[in-house]
Amino acid sequence: MRRRQLAGLSQGKRKEVDQPIQRMQPKLKLKYEENETELPGSVTGIKMLLNGQLYFAQSSRYITDKESYQARQNGFSIRAIPVAINGIAIAVNPNLKVSIQQSDDR
């Protein structure tokens, strides 16, 4: 039985991502590691990965060029494998004078 440490996604998103991973790799046992001083999230998970604290990290964003460079400096490479789409909803009080523009990033 292999155990891999990971961090990065919120509790709710973990179920959505973990289930397909477990179906594809049933011998892989996921164990979440929390950072002692930083809140969980993509930045923290990738930082822990780059510092050698994790085997892999789940993230809601792509890896930056700076992070790829840091991995190479540490003697390994990292890559993103998209497994889910992350959505963001913005709610604005109708009494506020805010103009919202929509963008299509397809």
Side-chain angles (χ1 to χ4, degrees), residues 2-105:
R2 295 178 293 172
R3 181 171 296 223
R4 295 292 180 250
Q5 298 167 312
L6 61 134
L9 289 181
S10 67
Q11 188 86 12
K13 289 292 180 188
R14 288 179 184 171
K15 288 181 185 178
E16 294 175 32
V17 176
D18 289 357
Q19 290 173 352
I21 291 172
Q22 291 294 174
R23 277 195 303 273
M24 293 175 67
Q25 297 292 330
K27 292 182 181 180
L28 181 70
K29 300 301 176 196
L30 300 173
K31 176 185 173 200
Y32 283 85
E33 294 289 331
E34 299 292 336
N35 188 291
E36 294 179 8
T37 59
E38 297 182 43
L39 294 173
S42 296
V43 172
T44 302
I46 292 173
K47 190 184 300 184
M48 291 173 72
L49 176 70
L50 292 170
N51 290 334
Q53 296 170 281
L54 304 174
Y55 290 105
F56 69 93
Q58 296 176 347
S59 174
S60 61
R61 65 167 178 82
Y62 287 103
I63 297 164
T64 66
D65 291 340
K66 181 179 178 181
E67 292 162 342
S68 292
Y69 176 77
Q70 184 179 349
R72 287 192 303 277
Q73 293 296 330
N74 291 341
F76 61 92
S77 63
I78 57 175
R79 66 184 172 123
I81 302 170
V83 295
I85 296 173
N86 190 19
I88 297 173
I90 299 171
V92 178
N93 185 315
N95 294 327
L96 296 176
K97 304 285 188 225
V98 176
S99 173
I100 298 176
Q101 287 183 311
Q102 289 182 319
S103 68
D104 187 1
D105 293 335

